[in-house]
Amino acid sequence: MKQVFNMAISGLGSHSISLFFFVIFATFLHKGKTTQGQNLVTNNVSVVEGETAIISCRVKNNDDSVIQLLNPNRQTIYFRDVRPLKDSRFQLVNFSDNELLVSLSNVSLSDEGRYVCQLYTDPPQEAYADITVLVPPGNPILESREEIVSEGNETEITCTAMGSKPASTIKWMKGDQPLQGEATVEELYDRMFTVTSRLRLTVSKEDDGVAVICIIDHPAVKDFQAQKYLEVQYKPEVQIVVEFPEGLTREGENLELTCKAKGKPHPHQINWLKVDDDFPSHAVITGSDLFIENLNKSYNGTYRCVASNLVGEAYDDYILYVYDSRADGAPQKIDHAVIGGIVAVVVFAMLCLLIVLGRYFARHKGTYFTHEAKGADDAADADTAIINAEGGHNNSDDKKEYYI
């Protein structure tokens, strides 16, 4: 019992006499009572700096024992529903025989620690609630080694999350593609941390205008990020377009070509040349356009458009072949038609010839005669015919056959 008095006196400190006697009364009231069947519970609390923490002391099967809440320095915050501590940030939310619920507003780092829920029984019971104060990082700072990067080169971007508790985690995205950075953690005062992540990447022209996003992962904040759009310079892309003619290039006609070039920065120079040969003397170049009139076969060859900017140069080729003035614009299709027509005529002629020959042979079937049979035609009767036929065997060398 003396132990209970000492706990009550030390918990109240220099508070009012009435409160002290209340403790004495509560102690005697519960003299001889045991903790059998009672269960004092509480919960740990994580709270963002500047927000409100809720501390709960709960008793199962309470037998009118007194509940009080102590701060990490063992000072009484609430004794039942009375607040001896002169800190108005602590407010009573709920009090009953089974619960003491207290709020702590505008939490700061100095409020972090172990709070004690105490139940006046014999012996006394205690449960501990650890309050952890979370400090969100400041706005992420995004910096790049250079503002403009040429394609194929490497750049470095850093993202810094300053003054957080606990340390932040930094993730990277390029568009919808996750990237891996290299992080360093610096510990400051009061378990505060500053985290810096460095991202190195090689850029291409497709990266121009793509967002690189630094995402801060911290239990005190959500969707905390900063982004930077890449600015990539790249050499020109060149394409030659035939403006005229639409089909074949024939002798005597004109040729007009346009050189289309784009790059970053925009190409500052566009040149026309003829590969491995002199340029036609009367060809006209106007900016990115090439015009040649009255074509002839001596103009055949490869014409090249070269565009350049600060990053480099690129080109595109056009192969000119001048056809005869009588050349058809679609030779392949007409050749197929002509060949098909010729084949049809030949097949028809052959069918007609076969029909004529068939009719001729059907109407002029031949009769097969021999020299022996010729004698039988002139005989008066059968016996004479046999005799004439037999007589014909005597001169076998003169025997002949005819086919009419």
Side-chain angles (χ1 to χ4, degrees):
M1 186 59 62
K2 183 179 179 181
Q3 182 184 1
V4 177
F5 274 112
N6 290 336
M7 291 175 57
I9 293 173
S10 62
L12 293 175
S14 59
H15 297 301
S16 64
I17 299 297
S18 60
L19 184 58
F20 175 72
F21 280 108
F22 181 82
V23 174
I24 295 175
F25 174 76
T27 303
F28 278 104
L29 184 64
H30 294 88
K31 182 178 179 181
K33 291 189 177 181
T34 65
T35 61
Q36 191 176 30
Q38 292 180 331
N39 188 11
L40 179 64
V41 293
T42 185
N43 298 102
N44 294 330
V45 179
S46 293
V47 60
V48 177
E49 184 181 33
E51 296 185 359
T52 300
I54 303 295
I55 309 170
S56 174
C57 300
R58 301 180 303 278
V59 182
K60 294 182 179 179
N61 304 320
N62 192 8
D63 55 357
D64 297 330
S65 298
V66 177
I67 306 173
Q68 72 168 347
L69 176 64
L70 308 178
N71 67 12
N73 297 323
R74 304 291 295 192
Q75 296 173 326
T76 302
I77 301 172
Y78 267 93
F79 185 86
R80 294 177 63 91
D81 58 350
V82 179
R83 177 169 56 86
L85 194 65
K86 295 180 180 179
D87 189 342
S88 60
R89 295 182 305 145
F90 290 97
Q91 294 294 322
L92 185 65
V93 177
N94 182 51
F95 173 74
S96 68
D97 290 339
N98 297 317
E99 183 181 48
L100 175 61
L101 197 63
V102 177
S103 66
L104 170 60
S105 60
N106 194 22
V107 174
S108 65
L109 280 175
S110 61
D111 296 319
E112 190 171 68
R114 172 163 290 186
Y115 289 74
V116 183
C117 291
Q118 197 172 74
L119 184 64
Y120 277 95
T121 58
D122 187 13
Q125 295 185 58
E126 289 186 354
Y128 305 100
D130 291 325
I131 290 186
T132 302
V133 179
L134 307 176
V135 181
N139 291 330
I141 301 172
L142 202 59
E143 297 175 321
S144 58
R145 188 171 59 193
E146 52 270 308
E147 293 300 322
I148 302 176
V149 193
S150 296
E151 64 174 334
N153 291 344
E154 184 184 76
T155 187
E156 181 179 288
I157 304 174
T158 61
C159 183
T160 304
M162 300 184 64
S164 67
K165 179 179 175 294
S168 302
T169 301
I170 297 179
K171 301 177 183 178
W172 291 95
M173 297 285 290
K174 185 184 75 172
D176 56 358
Q177 175 187 2
L179 300 177
Q180 185 66 43
E182 182 180 345
T184 57
V185 181
E186 179 185 2
E187 186 172 358
L188 307 175
Y189 58 91
D190 290 339
R191 291 169 291 172
M192 301 280 286
F193 299 90
T194 290
V195 181
T196 300
S197 180
R198 290 176 172 83
L199 175 68
R200 295 181 178 91
L201 70 158
T202 301
V203 299
S204 64
K205 64 183 179 181
E206 288 78 14
D207 293 325
D208 184 46
V210 176
V212 174
I213 307 170
C214 164
I215 303 172
I216 307 298
D217 188 8
H218 191 274
V221 291
K222 293 182 179 179
D223 300 327
F224 206 32
Q225 62 185 34
Q227 65 182 18
K228 172 183 173 58
Y229 291 94
L230 293 172
E231 187 170 353
V232 181
Q233 292 183 334
Y234 52 91
K235 65 182 182 181
E237 298 174 318
V238 185
Q239 181 185 17
I240 296 176
V241 177
V242 180
E243 303 290 351
F244 185 84
E246 294 182 357
L248 297 177
T249 49
R250 304 180 184 85
E251 285 186 305
E253 292 186 347
N254 300 331
L255 174 67
E256 183 178 355
L257 304 176
T258 297
C259 181
K260 295 185 177 182
K262 64 177 182 177
K264 190 172 183 179
H266 189 75
H268 61 269
Q269 189 173 5
I270 295 178
N271 295 322
W272 283 95
L273 58 91
K274 187 177 182 183
V275 179
D276 299 330
D277 203 351
D278 294 332
F279 218 69
S281 58
H282 64 284
V284 178
I285 299 175
T286 305
S288 60
D289 297 333
L290 170 64
F291 181 77
I292 304 176
E293 63 179 359
N294 194 20
L295 293 173
N296 62 64
K297 295 189 176 182
S298 66
Y299 298 157
N300 289 347
T302 301
Y303 291 80
R304 175 171 295 175
C305 171
V306 182
S308 59
N309 61 10
L310 295 176
V311 181
E313 69 175 27
Y315 65 86
D316 189 25
D317 289 340
Y318 171 77
I319 299 176
L320 173 63
Y321 183 83
V322 179
Y323 291 86
D324 294 333
S325 58
R326 298 183 302 275
D328 200 320
Q332 292 184 345
K333 293 182 180 179
I334 293 181
D335 288 346
H336 290 162
V338 171
I339 292 173
I342 293 174
V343 170
V345 171
V346 171
V347 171
F348 179 75
M350 292 179 64
L351 290 175
C352 292
L353 180 62
L354 290 173
I355 293 172
V356 171
L357 289 175
R359 292 176 63 86
Y360 176 80
F361 285 118
R363 296 176 60 184
H364 298 82
K365 291 183 178 180
T367 303
Y368 188 83
F369 291 95
T370 64
H371 189 67
E372 295 88 340
K374 186 177 179 180
D377 289 339
D378 298 330
D381 51 30
D383 295 333
T384 304
I386 292 173
I387 294 171
N388 291 339
E390 291 176 351
H393 286 286
N394 294 331
N395 191 8
S396 59
D397 294 334
D398 295 334
K399 188 187 302 180
K400 295 182 179 181
E401 296 179 355
Y402 297 91
Y403 178 78
I404 299 175

